[in-house]
Amino acid sequence: MKEYMEGLFGRKSSIQRKVIIVYLLMAVLPIIIITFSASIMYYNSILKGAYSLVEQNTRQHEVVVQERMDALKGVLYELLINNECIKLADSINKGDEEDLLVNGAAMETLLRRSVYTYQSIRSAAFVADNGQYVTYSKWYGSMNESIWADPEQREEIYDKINKEQKLSFIASVNLSNTEGRDDYVIMMGYPVKHLKTKEQKGVLVMALDDDVLLFDEGDESRENGKEANGITTVILNGEDRIIAGVQNSYLNKNYNDYLDDEFGNIKRISENRKKIEGTDWTIVNIIDTAVYRKDIYHLVSVVFILMITVTCFFFLIVFFASRKYIGTVQKIAQGIHDYEGIGEDKIDVDVNEKDELYVIVRQFNKMTERVNSLVEMLRQRNEEIKAAAISQKHAEIKALEAQINPHFLFNTLDSINWRAIEHDEVEISDMLGTLGSLLRYSVSNIDMEVVLEAEISWLKKYIFLQRDRFHDSFDCSYDITEQAMEFPIYKMLLQPIIENTILHAFEEVKEGGMIYVKAFVRQDEKLEIRIKDNGCGMENEVVAEITQEIEEKGPLNSKRIGISNVIHRLRIYYQEEAEIIVNSKLSEGSEFILIIPNRQDERRR
């Protein structure tokens, strides 16, 4: 038995036995510990990633819902300041029987024209102070089918909006007046008043789909209000009652009752809450940790079986290889032991060149020859890293200096806009509205792809404000094909180039400046955008510096932060697939050519 064990594991003091014992202690045992530790860490990492993703999605959810609500508010506000609407409301409120049918039909036509193109608006209604009402509905052919035909419900909605005297929301209202049919909507209303005398005529109410409050509006992947990835999103009112995101049977139900019914064990869930600005509603993301725990258990089982298999396999390799190569290993070890490494470039070991382990000796000698060159390369790399770190630090400082709360700007601009409307300053109101639209577009989801049509639409608003600022000293023309309009690009790619042209190319121009924006899809299915001007042009040295920055992929250039921003963003988004070309001559103007691939086609492939 003793002889058999020595033949299997080697003699007591042999290298073979030491190698096997060391392998068992230093490889197998740590692998077992690391496997279980890594599984636990991976589980926690997945949960942490899920929490982080939910937090990010919640912020995006808030922004998307706010944008939707702002757009719907805009429809309501446009009707409130519409002179035709105010006159019709006054006539209906006076109760003139002869004109009531005519005015009611005109009001219904106005409501239909205002809300017909908005899918999220189910119906609109005007309820006069005298009790008369006019309604338009996309879904109901007869007024008797909706709650507007019920005087009590109509009066209840009127009283709530009239009492608050501001933009009011009433959640989870069943629009259907038919027994057994549920059609839950969100009511949004505002008193109708004369713009100058402030005399009230009634209230204007719009019925919105309850899905308008959900980030994934109309998503068919939700099953019973839950998502397949273990994350459920619901909307709560100020009383912790559910107003959206679940089946109709749970609408207006207590949130805790819903958790008990759907999840049972409250310890298995985690939640993230975010208030919706301008309302008492809250977005709640519910994370079901049991979904992730089940996946982790399965993963741990697979990893454990794989670990046992791999360990046994490598143990056999070590066992057989150790007996064959022990002698050679001893020679190599002795040679390395004798190598002092002082003033020598390599070591000499008496090993047969036909032996596989001779590769170790040869590679070791090559390694000593490469040490000096690697040290020099590391020194140069450290210098590059330091330079990049300094450049990044300057960029971060500038970014911090430029930060300002976007919601504060939006709210302030909105307040100024309403004051301009109250004083009949239509031009100022238009400019403020355009500026607000520019800010919303530029601060939300900067790394998101949009179609070129959306980017051009935003660019026209930007140029509108810049032309007003510079007293119409320049103009801009557009030559863009329909196919190019549908091409996806990342937001804010063109604005820095346009801004650079306005500030530098037209610096001394008082009139006659022109910017030409041309875009088309090439035969290789890439988008080509040309931005040309008739300004002062650039010196050859400046053009050479920009071209060098494009080719060498260096850090951001603080002298030309706008153009440098476009170059680096193209490189980040599209790597080597995108191109930017600069042509310019003094006194003849400049031209920037951007060539952008279609990344959505690549993802589909």
Side-chain angles (χ1 to χ4, degrees), residues 454-479:
E455 185 75 355
I456 293 297
S457 176
W458 180 91
L459 201 60
K460 289 179 179 180
K461 297 177 182 179
Y462 173 77
I463 292 176
F464 166 74
L465 293 179
Q466 289 286 38
R467 290 190 66 217
D468 186 272
R469 174 187 173 188
F470 290 101
H471 308 293
D472 295 330
S473 62
F474 69 94
D475 202 349
C476 183
S477 67
Y478 305 89
D479 181 13

Side-chain angles (χ1 to χ4, degrees), residues 36-211:
F36 284 102
S37 300
S39 299
I40 296 173
M41 294 173 63
Y42 182 56
Y43 171 67
N44 293 331
S45 175
I46 287 180
L47 283 183
K48 184 178 179 181
Y51 295 148
S52 176
L53 179 62
V54 167
E55 177 65 26
Q56 180 182 358
N57 288 344
T58 302
R59 289 195 295 267
Q60 293 179 350
H61 190 163
E62 180 192 16
V63 172
V64 170
V65 171
Q66 194 63 49
E67 289 178 352
R68 289 180 190 157
M69 297 303 291
D70 288 344
L72 296 174
K73 290 177 188 176
V75 178
L76 181 65
Y77 290 150
E78 286 181 5
L79 279 172
L80 291 172
I81 63 175
N82 187 305
N83 289 327
E84 181 184 358
C85 179
I86 295 173
K87 290 179 181 179
L88 290 172
D90 184 56
S91 299
I92 294 172
N93 193 51
K94 289 179 180 179
D96 189 345
E97 295 294 337
E98 296 181 359
D99 298 331
L100 185 58
L101 292 177
V102 176
N103 293 328
M107 176 64 82
E108 181 181 355
T109 300
L110 180 61
L111 294 176
R112 180 175 61 253
R113 188 170 64 241
S114 300
V115 307
Y116 183 78
T117 58
Y118 291 87
Q119 186 176 359
S120 297
I121 303 178
R122 292 275 192 87
S123 67
F126 167 72
V127 182
D129 291 340
N130 63 2
Q132 297 290 344
Y133 73 98
V134 178
T135 179
Y136 163 71
S137 174
K138 298 178 182 178
W139 285 25
Y140 298 96
S142 171
M143 290 185 181
N144 295 327
E145 297 179 6
S146 67
I147 62 172
W148 299 116
D150 188 336
E152 293 183 0
Q153 296 191 66
R154 191 169 64 243
E155 183 178 358
E156 182 180 349
I157 295 173
Y158 170 86
D159 290 341
K160 180 174 177 59
I161 298 173
N162 183 55
K163 180 181 179 181
E164 294 188 5
Q165 285 295 307
K166 64 179 183 179
L167 183 64
S168 304
F169 293 94
I170 308 174
S172 298
V173 178
N174 190 352
L175 188 63
S176 174
N177 199 32
T178 304
E179 185 176 355
R181 177 181 179 183
D182 292 332
D183 184 15
Y184 286 94
V185 296
I186 297 170
M187 295 291 187
M188 177 177 67
Y190 200 94
V192 180
K193 298 181 180 180
H194 193 280
L195 294 178
K196 293 184 177 180
T197 64
K198 304 302 180 183
E199 179 185 358
Q200 181 168 315
K201 313 298 182 182
V203 297
L204 190 61
V205 188
M206 291 184 180
L208 313 177
D209 280 335
D210 57 356
D211 283 350

Side-chain angles (χ1 to χ4, degrees), residues 318-336:
V318 171
F319 173 74
F320 289 108
S322 64
R323 294 196 302 179
K324 180 179 179 180
Y325 291 103
I326 285 298
T328 306
V329 169
Q330 288 176 335
K331 293 180 182 180
I332 295 174
Q334 187 63 42
I336 294 174

Side-chain angles (χ1 to χ4, degrees), residues 449 490 573-575 577 597-603:
E449 281 188 310
Y490 284 90
Y573 294 146
Y574 304 102
Q575 287 78 46
E577 298 181 55
N598 191 335
R599 301 304 296 272
Q600 290 186 353
D601 286 346
E602 295 179 7
R603 297 189 190 103

